[in-house]
Amino acid sequence: MNQKANKPITKILIANRGEIALRIMRSAKEMGIKTVAVFSEADRNALHVRYADEAICIGPAPSNQSYLVGEKIIDACKITGADAIHPGYGFLSENAAFAQKVADAGLILIGPSAEAMEIMGNKLSAKAAALKYNIPMVPGTEEAITDLNEAKKRAVEVGFPILIKAAAGGGGKGMRIVESVDDFEEQMDLAVSEATSAFGDGAVFIERYVTSPRHIEIQVLGDQYGNIVHLFERECSVQRRHQKVVEEAPSSVLTPEIREKMGKCAVDVARSVNYTGAGTVEFILDENLDFFFLEMNTRLQVEHPVTELITGIDLVKEQIKIAAGEPLSFRQEDLKVSGHAVELRVYAEDPNNNFLPDIGVLQTYKTPKGNGVRVDDGFEQGMEIPIYYDPMIAKLITYGKDREEAIARMVRAIEEYEITGIETTLAFGKFVMQHEAFKTGNFDTHFVSKYFKPDKNKLVNDDEVLIAAVIAAKFFQKNVLSVEQEQVTQQSSNWRKNRLEY
């Protein structure tokens, strides 16, 4: 369990960038808490850097030389006097070793304990923890398998089709669907190789493959006194390459009874590791509305705004209060679902080209406005989309009294959103909102492969996407940095007066 803070948090360093850094800073500002931004050389002119009370450069553009270097983050706290760190999501947000270093440095991590991260960061240890509370599990192995013959034997016992999954993985990496025993050896080798390359850990396990799965996750909050609540579910089934693009809350298919059962299971999963802060327990839902535990994300989720809109709870403020040692100010019975919210991740990607990331300058950038529309972004017109990081430009969220109104507002907001200079997922989002399967709620994680037909003249495969990204990164790295450095020397403004360099 996290050590209880014995004094209020007065200054937070946000160990992240872009829209999530801005979103955290705004809640902190409303609470009267000072903020510190960290930035790479590529983000020198970013909006989160301008918005913070102080900012400090922590290294070159590549994240493994800046945002992923925990020592630089901690040193930045010492230089600026920040007493707490909010990691956002991605980067170091689920790094147990970093969480322990923060604690050892006498700083407050706005997140769970290193121990909880460690357990839930591995799918097998997470399943073992959840089993203490008899949480439903997809049939499969409960331990890592490395012996090929033993793995094949277990796969036959589980029954095809099966999933081979990386124990330390996420985002679809190290995951392979195997339809028959004849394909098993090849897919096993590929899964182990990909897991080793992506996570430095080739451990894999086997699960039965649910053929028509829906991805449902439950938001939880836990304080330092053993109080844990859930804030209902989010439906995250519209995905590309096993990564979410559209999310909504609540799900259109859960009955009140299933919602209550899933919520209780999520709380029990959190309780199994004495969880503190905001976390998300992920489940898979089959065609019979039976649900099974997948994993727990020990951080704030990208899609947290939809939960905020249907509950009226500011999750970032709650995270900060919990980290400061405050008990939850509400109980489970105080929470209820009000209305409906939908989120579209606006990526700099070309949906017609297998969602290949795009780079360039935002020649036009005008966000939608009006009742029930929220835009969480980190860019403005004229800015360049960096090649080094996740290509998400913004999160477009709409809220309505019911699902129909939220969807209608999303279509209107997409039509108002003006972005030129790069390809985006806006048109894809409109396609989803207007598709009969989505409108009726009759869809699963195969929505894209079933219904979205990209331009075949532009279509490339996943390997080509990866190769193109690597080549582009190498080609643009020197040119982008030299241009940015030139721009920095030519520009000057008041907000730089408080800026420090690491």
Side-chain angles (χ1 to χ4, degrees), residues 355-382:
F355 293 88
L356 182 71
D358 198 13
I359 59 172
V361 175
L362 293 170
Q363 296 172 358
T364 306
Y365 186 74
K366 296 180 180 178
T367 58
K369 295 176 173 57
N371 195 25
V373 176
R374 168 176 166 178
V375 179
D376 286 13
D377 62 7
F379 291 93
E380 62 185 5
Q381 189 165 295

Side-chain angles (χ1 to χ4, degrees), residues 309-359:
L309 290 174
I310 67 164
T311 61
I313 302 290
D314 184 319
L315 291 174
V316 171
K317 287 183 180 178
E318 295 304 320
Q319 284 185 296
I320 295 170
K321 291 175 183 177
I322 290 166
E326 296 184 29
L328 287 175
S329 61
F330 46 83
R331 299 169 297 178
Q332 189 66 58
E333 53 265 34
D334 299 323
L335 299 168
K336 66 176 183 177
V337 174
S338 178
H340 200 96
V342 182
E343 175 177 302
L344 169 67
R345 300 189 190 189
V346 183
Y347 282 112
E349 294 180 346
D350 184 357
N352 282 313
N353 197 1
N354 202 23
F355 293 88
L356 182 71
D358 198 13
I359 59 172

Side-chain angles (χ1 to χ4, degrees), residues 200-400:
D201 183 350
V204 298
F205 63 100
I206 293 168
E207 284 182 350
R208 179 178 297 161
Y209 179 60
V210 179
T211 54
S212 299
R214 296 179 79 117
H215 186 136
I216 308 290
E217 59 188 32
I218 307 288
Q219 177 71 59
V220 295
L221 281 174
D223 65 20
Q224 298 179 17
Y225 308 94
N227 302 306
I228 304 175
V229 299
H230 71 84
L231 288 85
F232 313 109
E233 82 279 1
R234 296 185 288 256
E235 168 93 47
C236 308
S237 298
V238 179
Q239 306 176 358
R240 50 92 175 98
R241 294 196 294 275
H242 302 289
Q243 295 177 323
K244 308 161 191 171
V245 186
V246 174
E247 302 102 346
E248 62 179 308
S251 169
S252 62
V253 296
L254 292 197
T255 64
E257 293 76 20
I258 296 175
R259 178 173 294 117
E260 184 177 354
K261 288 179 182 178
M262 291 184 78
K264 182 182 182 304
C265 284
V267 167
D268 285 342
V269 170
R271 200 174 302 285
S272 73
V273 289
N274 297 318
Y275 196 84
T276 57
T280 299
V281 182
E282 304 202 357
F283 296 92
I284 193 168
L285 189 76
D286 68 14
E287 60 271 23
N288 300 316
L289 300 186
D290 292 324
F291 62 89
F292 308 96
F293 172 71
L294 277 180
E295 61 182 341
M296 184 177 190
N297 290 310
T298 55
R299 54 171 168 81
L300 195 67
Q301 293 279 89
V302 175
E303 56 273 17
H304 74 273
V306 293
T307 295
E308 293 184 323
L309 290 174
I310 67 164
T311 61
I313 302 290
D314 184 319
L315 291 174
V316 171
K317 287 183 180 178
E318 295 304 320
Q319 284 185 296
I320 295 170
K321 291 175 183 177
I322 290 166
E326 296 184 29
L328 287 175
S329 61
F330 46 83
R331 299 169 297 178
Q332 189 66 58
E333 53 265 34
D334 299 323
L335 299 168
K336 66 176 183 177
V337 174
S338 178
H340 200 96
V342 182
E343 175 177 302
L344 169 67
R345 300 189 190 189
V346 183
Y347 282 112
E349 294 180 346
D350 184 357
N352 282 313
N353 197 1
N354 202 23
F355 293 88
L356 182 71
D358 198 13
I359 59 172
V361 175
L362 293 170
Q363 296 172 358
T364 306
Y365 186 74
K366 296 180 180 178
T367 58
K369 295 176 173 57
N371 195 25
V373 176
R374 168 176 166 178
V375 179
D376 286 13
D377 62 7
F379 291 93
E380 62 185 5
Q381 189 165 295
M383 292 182 71
E384 187 168 15
I385 304 298
I387 195 172
Y388 310 99
Y389 314 116
D390 184 89
M392 189 167 68
I393 302 169
K395 299 182 304 199
L396 175 59
I397 311 105
T398 55
Y399 174 79

